[in-house]
Amino acid sequence: MSRLVALALIILVMKLSPAGAAVSPVKISYTLTFPEAQAHYIDVEMTLTGLKQPTLDLKMPVWTPGSYLVREFAKNVESLTATANGKTVTAPKVSKNTWRISTAGVSTVVVKYKLYAFEVSVRTAFVDITHGFVSTSGVLLFPKGMLDQPSTIKIVPYKDWTTVSTSLEMVGGDQFTRSAPNYDILYDSPIEVGYQDVFSFDVAGVKYDVAMYGGGNYDKERLETDMSKIITAEANVFGENPNKHYTFIVHNRQRGGGGLEHLSSTVLGASRDQYGSERGYQGFLSLVAHEHFHLWNVKRLRPIALGPFDYENENYTTNLWIAEGFTAYYQNIILRHAGIASTEDYLADAVGDINIVENQPGTKVQPLAEASFDAWIKSYRPNENSYNTQISYYDKGAVIGMLLDLDIINATKGKSSLNDVMKYMYTTYYKGKKRGYTDAEFKAGFEKFAGKNLDDFYAKYINGLDPIDYNKYLGFAGYKITDQLAQGNDPSLGISTAAQGNKRVISMVLRGGAGWVSGLNVGDELVSVDGTPVTDYTTILNGKKVGDKIVVTVSRDGKAYNIPVVLQRNPRIQYKIEEVPSPTAQQLAVRAKWLKL
């Protein structure tokens, strides 16, 4: 037999054999109902057909992308049952987030469970009689090994709920039936269902839906105008808007805040009455700008560790200072570039970030790259000493973004800016290489446009703890920074306190401060100072000066302690950005490029 004939026979056998046959994908569907919305439950029915395996493991993610904390969503699952061929089959739990079903000889399995949803946040599911917020990564189980499989989601609304808001595509024009091409898209597409107020507009051919839950004193026309400006300015950074449609889900509450980005949508928390003041309104627009900017930065242009996701474990990266910090920088500079915020408004926001960083003792303890890496164990789990040991990759990342922007503009005499770096990285890695970037690759991107090596910058400010030379970088634009409290000599205990009923209790002790040195503790109730009862905390140091020795009486675990304290100077910094006298033409050119003057 010739080699050619033998090869032909082998290929024919492969085509005819089961191993060589095309494998039909498993069909996956979910039905969500809310029969006990008043008790905060979602009833989930999951159907899988076309199974050809002896066992099926169903898993619940332990975290949601964009929020770097293991939240253990499986804790909310109750009463999971499974049936096959009309008969109940066992579905034992084999790990904290895994249920195992025997499927030998079974092609279809129906799984039902109840999920408790009563945590108010932009990242967790919440249901009551007014609406259902389905944060899909914490609600829907996935079959092991099938993250690339499509699924459909049918929503059966509670009573008078009329509207579904999500970025998931409709099936057959039915708003209550949606589809996802894979689990990465499904878990990146939250669903709002209820009777939310929805308004829509187009920006350069992209449809935007804004779903407002909870009411509020917002002006739709003004929001449409200003949100359109923000969207346009951000798309200009990257050269395109990759979406066909995008959904803002806004939860307006008595007090609200925060946001969580998604590929083609975002969830925002707001206070329903904040739109009535300019400060509150611009604060909301800043949140819009932040979360919408993420559709490029982190959802597409991303650290290599953040995708494909491991939904069962931490996904570590040292680059959240770019993913989140730069987005925090852009959330304010974009308002200036869009003509919404004045130069004074922007500079006030910029110096606000600087003041946060410089007043936090943790900035001298935790490098920025380490803050990114340790987000999983520190950022979302602060304790009474976090202020002394950590720095936010949001705040310091925003400051670093500003420094690099100014450095690039100055080095290129206004030819390039941080915008060019972001567009280059997006085009090269997301669109070209179709993967995330490494730390070294983003550093190379900075260097490409700055035209110089940034080893020293990284050693000092990203991986190190050197004090930042603000005047060097602000000086490029003809500004300087000055401490308005530099000449102050007010005494300080170096503590923060909180009211607990009629008591005043220490909530934080500042590293190196008078309280830290003398041994005041978090949890101590302040009873008296030099024998005078503490009735008004703001006046307890009246008449005192730096260097004075006082006796603070505290109640600790039910016992009184008299603690001698030597008062120190209040170390608080209050920077202000000011124009340098007689800025040069080069400085004015940098300023004009930076602030779009």
Side-chain angles (χ1 to χ4, degrees):
M1 182 184 294
S2 70
R3 287 186 178 182
L4 185 60
V5 173
L7 181 59
L9 287 173
I10 291 172
I11 293 173
L12 179 61
V13 169
M14 289 178 64
K15 287 183 177 181
L16 294 176
S17 67
V23 178
S24 299
V26 174
K27 184 178 180 181
I28 305 168
S29 64
Y30 299 89
T31 299
L32 307 182
T33 58
F34 307 85
E36 294 182 294
Q38 83 289 347
H40 321 297
Y41 277 93
I42 306 171
D43 282 26
V44 182
E45 180 175 305
M46 180 184 188
T47 302
L48 303 97
T49 60
L51 294 169
K52 297 179 180 179
Q53 58 203 76
T55 59
L56 172 69
D57 282 358
L58 296 180
K59 293 177 172 287
M60 181 68 81
V62 304
W63 70 291
T64 188
S67 183
Y68 307 101
L69 176 68
V70 171
R71 297 183 183 275
E72 309 294 17
F73 292 123
K75 66 187 177 184
N76 296 317
V77 175
E78 298 177 19
S79 307
L80 187 143
T81 62
T83 57
N85 300 328
K87 296 181 180 180
T88 300
V89 294
T90 59
K93 199 171 186 182
V94 295
S95 74
K96 66 180 182 178
N97 69 319
T98 307
W99 290 260
R100 179 163 294 162
I101 302 170
S102 176
T103 53
V106 172
S107 63
T108 299
V109 169
V110 178
V111 176
K112 297 181 180 180
Y113 58 94
K114 300 177 75 67
L115 187 123
Y116 185 64
F118 195 53
E119 183 178 350
V120 176
S121 83
V122 296
R123 64 192 69 85
T124 50
F126 180 92
V127 173
D128 65 11
I129 61 173
T130 66
H131 79 132
F133 174 58
V134 181
S135 181
T136 45
S137 57
V139 173
L140 303 177
L141 298 172
F142 71 90
K144 180 182 178 181
M146 301 185 198
L147 286 172
D148 60 341
Q149 293 296 303
S151 60
T152 59
I153 306 92
K154 180 178 176 60
I155 300 161
V156 180
Y158 174 79
K159 290 187 177 179
D160 56 350
W161 292 354
T162 60
T163 306
V164 173
S165 299
T166 181
S167 60
L168 292 173
E169 296 290 343
M170 294 184 193
V171 177
D174 177 9
Q175 69 161 331
F176 291 101
T177 305
R178 304 286 176 148
S179 66
N182 55 56
Y183 276 88
D184 285 334
I185 298 297
L186 179 61
Y187 287 154
D188 213 12
S189 306
I191 302 167
E192 176 73 16
V193 54
Y195 40 81
Q196 60 271 24
D197 181 21
V198 180
F199 64 95
S200 304
F201 55 90
D202 284 2
V203 181
V206 180
K207 182 186 178 185
Y208 280 83
D209 292 322
V210 182
M212 289 286 199
Y213 162 78
N217 59 349
Y218 50 87
D219 180 331
K220 295 181 188 179
E221 291 185 3
R222 187 181 185 195
L223 280 174
E224 178 181 333
T225 297
D226 288 335
M227 291 172 76
S228 296
K229 291 178 181 178
I230 291 168
I231 291 163
T232 300
E234 292 184 343
N236 287 342
V237 173
F238 296 93
E240 67 172 17
N241 189 331
N243 287 299
K244 293 180 179 179
H245 61 83
Y246 188 95
T247 302
F248 287 97
I249 298 172
V250 185
H251 291 156
N252 294 297
R253 299 184 180 274
Q254 184 176 8
R255 291 183 181 178
L260 187 65
E261 70 275 4
H262 298 282
L263 194 71
S264 302
S265 63
T266 186
V267 185
L268 310 178
S271 299
R272 63 174 60 97
D273 295 328
Q274 77 178 80
Y275 307 94
S277 70
E278 281 305 304
R279 182 176 181 180
Y281 180 68
Q282 287 217 5
F284 177 74
L285 292 181
S286 180
L287 179 61
V288 167
H290 181 105
E291 301 304 337
H292 187 263
F293 194 83
H294 270 314
L295 79 84
W296 293 277
N297 191 32
V298 86
K299 298 312 303 183
R300 291 173 173 84
L301 171 61
R302 58 174 174 78
I304 200 164
L306 298 183
F309 292 118
D310 178 351
Y311 292 103
E312 298 187 78
N313 298 285
E314 297 87 345
N315 293 225
Y316 292 104
T317 173
T318 57
N319 292 128
L320 293 182
W321 62 274
I322 298 173
E324 289 289 356
F326 280 21
T327 304
Y329 169 61
Y330 272 99
Q331 75 182 52
N332 292 321
I333 199 73
I334 281 292
L335 296 190
R336 170 67 216 128
H337 291 178
I340 295 171
S342 67
T343 297
E344 292 73 23
D345 289 336
Y346 170 69
L347 293 178
D349 287 330
V351 81
D353 289 334
I354 293 172
N355 283 330
I356 290 172
V357 169
E358 295 304 320
N359 279 299
Q360 190 159 345
T363 196
K364 299 176 183 178
V365 177
Q366 186 183 50
L368 188 53
E370 183 182 299
S372 299
F373 192 85
D374 279 349
W376 294 92
I377 59 171
K378 292 185 177 181
S379 295
Y380 289 88
R381 287 194 175 106
N383 62 26
E384 67 283 348
N385 199 40
S386 295
Y387 193 73
N388 293 314
T389 62
Q390 296 173 221
I391 193 63
S392 166
Y393 49 78
Y394 285 87
D395 300 323
K396 191 168 183 180
V399 169
I400 294 300
M402 179 183 70
L403 302 187
L404 286 168
D405 200 4
L406 286 165
D407 199 13
I408 293 168
I409 295 170
N410 182 70
T412 61
K413 293 183 169 54
K415 180 182 177 181
S416 300
S417 71
L418 185 59
N419 288 5
D420 297 287
V421 178
M422 302 303 288
K423 182 178 180 179
Y424 166 78
M425 295 298 293
Y426 172 80
T427 302
T428 301
Y429 290 94
Y430 169 67
K431 297 187 70 176
K433 298 181 183 294
K434 302 185 187 306
R435 64 167 174 83
Y437 57 82
T438 66
D439 182 79
E441 287 167 343
F442 217 114
K443 178 174 176 287
F446 292 135
E447 293 173 336
K448 173 182 175 67
F449 288 91
K452 59 183 177 182
N453 182 284
L454 291 176
D455 286 352
D456 187 57
F457 185 94
Y458 264 68
K460 288 180 176 180
Y461 301 149
I462 309 303
N463 301 311
L465 299 169
D466 287 32
I468 295 175
D469 186 354
Y470 293 105
N471 280 323
K472 171 185 174 181
Y473 294 92
L474 288 169
F476 293 151
Y479 290 111
K480 63 179 180 178
I481 196 169
T482 55
D483 180 7
Q484 305 301 292
L485 301 178
Q487 304 306 313
N489 201 37
D490 295 332
S492 171
L493 280 172
I495 62 173
S496 295
T497 67
Q500 290 186 6
N502 295 324
K503 301 176 181 179
R504 179 60 61 171
V505 177
I506 297 174
S507 56
M508 188 275 294
V509 180
L510 189 71
R511 179 185 290 271
W516 176 284
V517 172
S518 63
L520 294 177
N521 287 184
V522 168
D524 286 351
E525 176 197 348
L526 295 178
V527 177
S528 65
V529 173
D530 287 343
T532 301
V534 175
T535 56
D536 182 358
Y537 176 69
T538 63
T539 64
I540 63 174
L541 296 184
N542 282 359
K544 310 294 184 183
K545 62 183 184 296
V546 174
D548 282 354
K549 185 174 182 179
I550 64 175
V551 176
V552 179
T553 301
V554 301
S555 176
R556 181 183 299 169
D557 191 31
K559 294 182 65 176
Y561 294 86
N562 295 319
I563 300 178
V565 179
V566 177
L567 295 177
Q568 296 184 9
R569 176 185 175 275
N570 191 332
R572 182 169 173 265
I573 294 168
Q574 185 176 311
Y575 282 125
K576 182 179 180 180
I577 295 177
E578 301 175 308
E579 187 176 60
V580 300
S582 305
T584 66
Q586 167 77 358
Q587 288 174 317
L588 291 175
V590 171
R591 184 187 304 178
K593 174 78 170 182
W594 179 39
L595 300 176
K596 292 291 186 290
L597 301 177

